[in-house]
Amino acid sequence: MLTGQTSAWSQARSCLERGRPQSQAVDFAAAAARQSPAVVSIMVTENGGERPVAGDTRPSTPWERGWGRGFASGFIVDSDGYILTSAHAVSGARSISIATADQRRFDAEVVGTDRLSDVALLKVAATGLPVVVLGRGSELCPGEWVAAMGAPFGFERSVTAGVVSANPRYVPGGSGVPLIQTDVALNPGNSGGPLFDERGEVVGLNSMIYSPGGGYFGVSFSLPIDTAMQVADQLRTAGYVRRGHIGARTQPLTAELAPAFGLGAALGALVVRVDADSPAAEAGLRSGDVVLAVGGDVAMSYADIQNRVAAARKGSRIALKIWRHRAALTVQVGVAENQPDVRPRPAGPAVMQETRFGLELAQRKGVLGISLPPPGLYVQSVSGSAQLAGLRYGDMLVAVNDVEVADLADFDAAIRTVRDSDTVALLVVRGSARSYVPILPRSSPHAPIARHASDGAVSTP
C-alpha cells in the first residue's frame, strides 16, 4: 500500500515555521495605498438587457447599473497596458471600458480568456502604467490576514478584509482548480480585483462567492496569483491556454474518503466519471479508481496530479499509478488536449458614429399630443457613450450641464457647442432619484474614442 504525509499536514508544518513576531502589526492602509494605483474599474456593455456580473444581485442605488451594463474590477500586471480580470466578468462583452485610479479611461481589448481558471487578459493602448506587486498565493496559510480591493456595486477601490479560511480549497462540482477560500466580503463588482496580503503583495484574483441567495455569506474564493499569472502568460503568447487531459473526471481524495478505499493518507485523485471514447476509457480506468501518482511511485497531492496531466503534450503517453480494489497497478494512458477558449481578435475597432450621445429621446405627451409636465425628455433607447454612462430606457433628462431642457430643440441647442474633448453632465431623473451623470469626452488625451471591441461573444465559464 502506498502511503505518505498529507499535503494538509505538510502545509501546517510550513505555516508553523512562518510565525510572525508579535510586534509586527497588520497595516492594510499602507498595503492598500501601495496597490491602489494599479487597480482598475471595468465597465462592460453588451447588446440587450442586463446581465449578472460576479454573482450579481440587484443594486442598492439607481446609478450602479444601466441597461446592458455591468461593473467588475481588474489590476495592471504590465506597464504596457496588460490587465488581469475574471473571464466571467467580460463574457458576452460588446465593449469594455476601464478607469484607472487617476481617472483616465481607456477602451480595452480582450487578449484571451480561460474559462477553466476564470482568467481574462485585457489590453489597453497605454504605456508607463503602475503595476501591482505580486506575491505567492500558493503559500498562504489559514488564519493569515488578507484584503480585497475592487468596485462592489460600482464603488471604486473599496477595501474589505478578512482571513484565509483554507488554502487550497476545491469547490464541489468545480473545475478542479485550487482556490483560496477567505471570509473577505466580495460583492457584485469585486470580480477580477486583487486579493493582497498584509505585506501589500497581490496573492490572488478574486473570483466568486459561495452563497445560497447571491449575496455575501462569508465564503469567498480567489484564484492564487501564481496560477493566474501562468494562465496570463499563455493568453498573452497564444491567446488561449493549452492543457492536456485524459477524459477522467476526478475529485480530491479526502481524509474521510481514504479509509473507504483502504488508503491511509489523503493523497491522490478519486475518479468519479470516465468519458466515453476518451484516453482514460481506452486505458481501462473506471469510477472508484484512485490515481496516486503520475510518472512515478511516490504518492502525489491532487493539485500535483492535475498539473502533471495538464502539462502533458497531446499525443504523448503518461504512466498513472492506480489504486484499485486495495491494490496498486500502473496504467499507460494517452493524452488528448482540451478545446481551447479561442476568441477571434478584432481586426480593428471602429469608431461609433453617435447622434445625441447614442440616445433616442422623446417628449412626454398626452392623448392629444400635448406635452405633459414635468418638462424633460424620456429615453427611448440607448447605446454608445450614453450606455457607457449608465443611462437606460425610461430615464428622464431635465438638463444639460446647467441648462434646462424641455424638448428636443432645447437638447440639440444645448449640445450644439459641445466639442469632442468636452465632458457633458446630464441631469437625469430615475424614479425618485435625481443625479448628474457625466458623458465622457469622445476624443481627448485621457479618454480614447469610445469603440466597440468586437460584436463577437467572449467565452463564458
Side-chain angles (χ1 to χ4, degrees), residues 205-357:
L205 172 75
N206 297 324
S207 182
M208 62 180 175
I209 59 175
Y210 205 78
S211 167
Y216 168 69
F217 273 76
V219 183
S220 304
F221 297 97
S222 305
L223 182 71
I225 194 61
D226 328 48
T227 303
M229 290 304 296
Q230 290 171 8
V231 170
D233 288 342
Q234 293 190 59
L235 293 177
R236 183 171 179 175
T237 302
Y240 61 92
V241 178
R242 181 176 281 118
R243 292 186 179 89
H245 83 95
I246 60 174
R249 310 302 171 91
T250 62
Q251 70 180 65
L253 185 72
T254 64
E256 292 81 5
L257 287 170
F261 295 90
L263 290 168
L267 291 170
L270 176 59
V271 177
V272 296
R273 193 179 82 188
V274 176
D275 297 338
D277 301 321
S278 67
E282 293 177 3
L285 264 69
R286 63 187 72 168
S287 177
D289 286 347
V290 179
V291 180
L292 294 173
V294 179
D297 291 329
V298 178
M300 295 179 174
S301 68
Y302 182 71
D304 287 341
I305 292 170
Q306 296 279 91
N307 292 336
R308 286 283 187 92
V309 173
R313 294 181 177 238
K314 178 181 178 181
S316 64
R317 297 186 69 81
I318 54 177
L320 301 184
K321 179 67 71 173
I322 302 296
W323 185 257
R324 178 185 296 167
H325 300 318
R326 300 178 183 259
L329 65 150
T330 300
V331 176
Q332 296 289 329
V333 183
V335 178
E337 189 173 274
N338 278 334
Q339 189 70 25
D341 295 336
V342 179
R343 179 186 189 273
R345 299 190 185 185
V351 178
M352 294 187 295
Q353 301 299 320
E354 292 185 331
T355 301
R356 295 174 178 151
F357 311 115

Side-chain angles (χ1 to χ4, degrees), residues 397-422:
L397 308 185
V398 296
V400 177
N401 295 336
D402 55 356
V403 177
E404 293 185 357
V405 294
D407 52 32
L408 287 173
D410 289 346
F411 185 86
D412 289 341
I415 67 172
R416 193 167 290 130
T417 59
V418 172
R419 299 168 300 178
D420 283 349
S421 59
D422 291 341

